């Protein structure tokens, strides 16, 4: 599996624009983490590794809820994280 910083940004934007659900974003991030654990992940370019990984780790758990129907991370939190991490 190969991922780029642009792909991670796209997932953030897709969540914010309701093109994918938070649950789908979480599952995508999980697939990236799984690929990393099996040494089948390539981050392009490698010098963006820390930014990409920071974004993936935020997305993994983006679907956590504090109450039924209430997400832990608000849309504002997601925007802030996207701008800070990426």
């Amino acid at each position: 599996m190969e991922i780029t910083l642009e792909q991670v940004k796209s997932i953030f934007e897709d969540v914010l624009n309701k093109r994918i659900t938070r649950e789908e974003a979480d599952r995508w991030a999980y697939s990236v983490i799984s690929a990393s654990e099996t040494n089948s992940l390539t981050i392009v370019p490698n010098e963006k590794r820390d930014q990409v990984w920071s974004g993936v780790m935020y997305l993994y758990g983006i679907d956590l809820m504090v109450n039924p129907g209430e997400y832990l991370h608000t849309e504002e939190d997601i925007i802030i994280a996207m701008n800070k991490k990426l």
Side-chain angles (χ1 to χ4, degrees):
M1 171 185 245
E2 181 176 294
I3 64 167
T4 65
L5 185 60
E6 290 74 27
Q7 286 174 298
V8 178
K9 284 181 183 178
S10 178
I11 297 292
F12 272 90
E13 291 168 354
D14 287 349
V15 168
L16 291 168
N17 291 308
K18 312 269 191 273
R19 289 189 289 264
I20 65 171
T21 65
R22 291 173 184 232
E23 291 74 18
E24 289 169 320
D26 173 80
R27 294 296 86 202
W28 177 85
Y30 176 77
S31 73
V32 173
I33 292 167
S34 294
S36 174
E37 290 173 350
T38 60
N39 294 319
S40 58
L41 177 67
T42 303
I43 297 174
V44 178
N46 190 52
E47 53 270 5
K48 299 287 184 179
R49 176 176 280 295
D50 290 345
Q51 287 175 279
V52 169
W53 198 248
S54 181
V56 168
M57 293 309 291
Y58 187 87
L59 291 167
Y60 183 57
I62 199 169
D63 62 339
L64 294 174
M65 293 190 163
V66 291
N67 291 307
E70 182 184 351
Y71 288 107
L72 174 63
H73 304 287
T74 65
E75 285 191 10
E76 185 177 325
D77 293 337
I78 296 169
I79 292 167
I80 291 168
M82 181 177 68
N83 291 329
K84 185 176 182 178
K85 294 177 181 303
L86 307 179

